Amino acid sequence: MRTPIIAGNWKMFKTAKEAAEFVREVKGKAEIPGVESVICAPFTALPALAEAVKGTGLKVGAQNMHWEESGAFTGEISGPMLKELGVEYVIIGHSERRAYFAETDETVNKKVLAAFKYGLVPIICVGEKLEEREAGRTKEVCKTQTEAALRGLTAEQARRAVIAYEPVWAIGTGKSSSAEDANEVIAYIRKLVGALFDAGTAEAIRIQYGGSVKPGNIREFMSRPDIDGALVGGASLDAASYIQLVEGAR
């Protein structure tokens, strides 16, 4: 049985002080048995966030990392740096990283491998652009991105990874895929994982949906058999909204 995972992606929002206040508002309320609650914050907020979640069931995630352990990479953060802070998850390959910061399938794969090397669980983002969807290339794009991201992993590592299917056209637009369509694509991704590894790995890996997920539609997505949670942007910034998202994942 896969444990549902709700991961809030704060993007470039919230100071360290605001992050600590958020935890004070959600702890005890966003900790629900059978649901994993993760908060992915900006680098500057991670120390305060990690301190604030101590003694709770909340998990901390980063939004990016470099694949090298150290080096002359101005402005970058390494896996060991994140691990030392108490970070457990890291988002890799988000469409905004791909679009604005030249992330490629190759660099995504390097980061996924590095995440496991340094004891972090990657939340691997895949998904098609609007023009790709309209051209009927959704599954083709997801296949290319998924296979590239998982290259070089063992089956054991793949089982621990999280994949987030995020159609680019639905991120921050207020538009979302229907639960039925999202489940169809996620089921397809699960079959890809089975082909790359084995049926047990496909059954074990958690695959989220992301793209304008809100308290009002979370239960609809979670009612589908292959959707194991959500990677949530704007709706995760408000404490009450985040609590409702976690509640909706039960």
Side-chain angles (χ1 to χ4, degrees):
M1 187 70 178
R2 298 183 297 269
T3 301
I5 176 172
I6 297 295
N9 175 17
W10 284 355
K11 306 191 180 185
M12 199 172 69
F13 293 98
K14 292 195 185 295
T15 63
K17 181 179 178 181
E18 290 168 339
E21 176 59 32
F22 180 92
V23 173
R24 284 193 288 270
E25 292 183 44
V26 304
K27 67 180 180 181
K29 301 172 184 175
E31 300 169 72
I32 296 175
V35 179
E36 194 162 7
S37 306
V38 183
I39 303 169
C40 300
F43 292 133
T44 53
L46 291 175
L49 191 60
E51 181 65 29
V53 303
K54 285 181 178 178
T56 76
L58 301 169
K59 305 291 181 65
V60 177
Q63 298 174 16
N64 185 36
M65 62 173 283
H66 198 276
W67 58 85
E68 293 288 354
E69 181 175 352
S70 60
F73 303 104
T74 301
E76 290 291 336
I77 303 292
S78 71
M81 293 174 182
L82 295 176
K83 190 67 178 177
E84 186 181 74
L85 291 177
V87 171
E88 295 185 51
Y89 285 87
V90 57
I91 299 172
I92 294 177
H94 193 280
S95 63
E96 290 161 359
R97 298 293 312 174
R98 294 176 188 259
Y100 305 142
F101 303 103
E103 291 268 337
T104 65
D105 289 341
E106 180 183 8
T107 59
V108 167
N109 179 242
K110 287 182 177 181
K111 292 180 180 186
V112 169
L113 294 171
F116 280 112
K117 180 178 180 180
Y118 300 118
L120 300 165
V121 177
I123 298 175
I124 305 162
C125 298
V126 302
E128 80 282 7
K129 299 175 184 176
L130 180 59
E131 58 269 28
E132 292 167 335
R133 179 181 180 84
E134 291 177 341
R137 297 182 57 225
T138 294
K139 291 182 178 179
E140 175 191 339
V141 171
C142 290
K143 182 176 190 292
T144 298
Q145 293 179 348
T146 300
E147 291 179 345
L150 301 181
R151 189 172 296 124
L153 293 186
T154 65
E156 180 183 356
Q157 289 172 327
R159 289 175 185 227
R160 292 172 50 217
V162 177
I163 295 176
Y165 167 55
E166 290 202 309
V168 180
W169 52 270
I171 298 173
T173 63
K175 301 178 181 178
S176 63
S177 174
S178 71
E180 182 178 354
D181 285 348
N183 190 73
E184 179 183 348
V185 177
I186 287 173
Y188 172 73
I189 294 171
R190 197 175 300 285
K191 288 181 181 177
L192 290 175
V193 174
L196 291 171
F197 300 98
D198 53 64
T201 301
E203 181 61 28
I205 193 170
R206 292 183 292 178
I207 309 178
Q208 304 171 300
Y209 172 71
S212 296
V213 179
K214 305 168 185 175
N217 61 20
I218 182 64
R219 291 187 186 277
E220 183 180 358
F221 286 109
M222 293 303 302
S223 70
R224 297 310 194 268
D226 279 290
I227 300 178
D228 303 317
L231 179 60
V232 187
S236 72
L237 291 167
D238 176 75
S241 175
Y242 182 76
I243 292 166
Q244 290 176 330
L245 288 163
V246 175
E247 290 174 339
R250 283 189 293 187

